[in-house]
Amino acid sequence: MGERMSQPADPAAAVIAELTRRGLRIAVAESLTGGLLVAELTRIPGASVVVNGGVVAYDTDVKRSLLGVSAELLEREGAVHPEVARQMADRVRRVLAVDGLADLGIATTGVAGPTEQDGKPAGTVYLGVALGGDVESIALDLHGDRAEIRAATVRAAIGALLERL
């Protein structure tokens, strides 16, 4: 019988505990989740030891002006794109640096709906994860109403953090 890793009872608490154990700090950049991801992380007592903060870059121009996402990329592809998620995750580590670059950056960008954005249907979501020199994007194809897509994005982001920690 093979052993399967079970999902922790509180995945956000598991992320905070592992970041604390490893002495790592995280910075969050959000678009479609509008602060829900950083709220989920900071719901956990002791999160202030590892969470630098969050930026809600809901407007595309804020992704460029505050986070430094490439203006050419945003013009060419729009805000719902894997490279936008990567750049958001990587660059938020500098924007929210505390005593040096944050170790880990996580970002959300996508379409919560009910209508499409940048030619992409509701439920098209990209996560960006930056850990050390590795910066990646994760594509999600989510279904449901606006609230369900936003909640599923937060769950997927927490899950992605757990997998990488």
Side-chain angles (χ1 to χ4, degrees), residues 119-142:
K120 311 279 186 349
T124 303
V125 175
Y126 297 99
L127 303 177
V129 182
L131 179 58
D134 294 330
V135 184
E136 63 182 303
S137 68
I138 301 163
L140 304 174
D141 181 19
L142 303 173

Side-chain angles (χ1 to χ4, degrees), residues 20-155:
T20 303
R21 186 186 74 74
R22 292 179 55 185
L24 300 175
R25 298 193 61 92
I26 187 171
V28 182
E30 300 183 67
S31 187
L32 82 150
T33 48
L36 293 174
L37 178 54
V38 78
E40 179 63 8
L41 292 171
T42 59
R43 173 183 63 79
I44 308 304
S48 61
V49 173
V50 297
V51 177
N52 284 10
V55 171
V56 177
Y58 204 67
D59 187 283
T60 298
D61 285 337
V62 175
K63 291 172 183 65
R64 178 195 48 75
S65 65
L66 182 62
L67 294 175
V69 174
S70 163
E72 294 78 17
L73 172 65
L74 291 167
E75 178 67 29
R76 186 178 69 246
E77 301 292 344
V80 183
H81 190 269
E83 182 59 23
V84 172
R86 289 179 78 255
Q87 289 186 21
M88 288 174 67
D90 189 40
R91 294 176 182 159
V92 75
R93 297 186 299 171
R94 284 181 196 84
V95 171
L96 297 178
V98 174
D99 297 327
L101 191 68
D103 304 288
L104 181 61
I106 182 111
T108 66
T109 190
V111 187
T115 59
E116 70 174 29
Q117 177 187 336
D118 297 333
K120 311 279 186 349
T124 303
V125 175
Y126 297 99
L127 303 177
V129 182
L131 179 58
D134 294 330
V135 184
E136 63 182 303
S137 68
I138 301 163
L140 304 174
D141 181 19
L142 303 173
H143 303 281
D145 65 21
R146 184 175 175 80
E148 290 166 335
I149 289 169
R150 293 173 78 213
T153 300
V154 171
R155 285 191 304 275

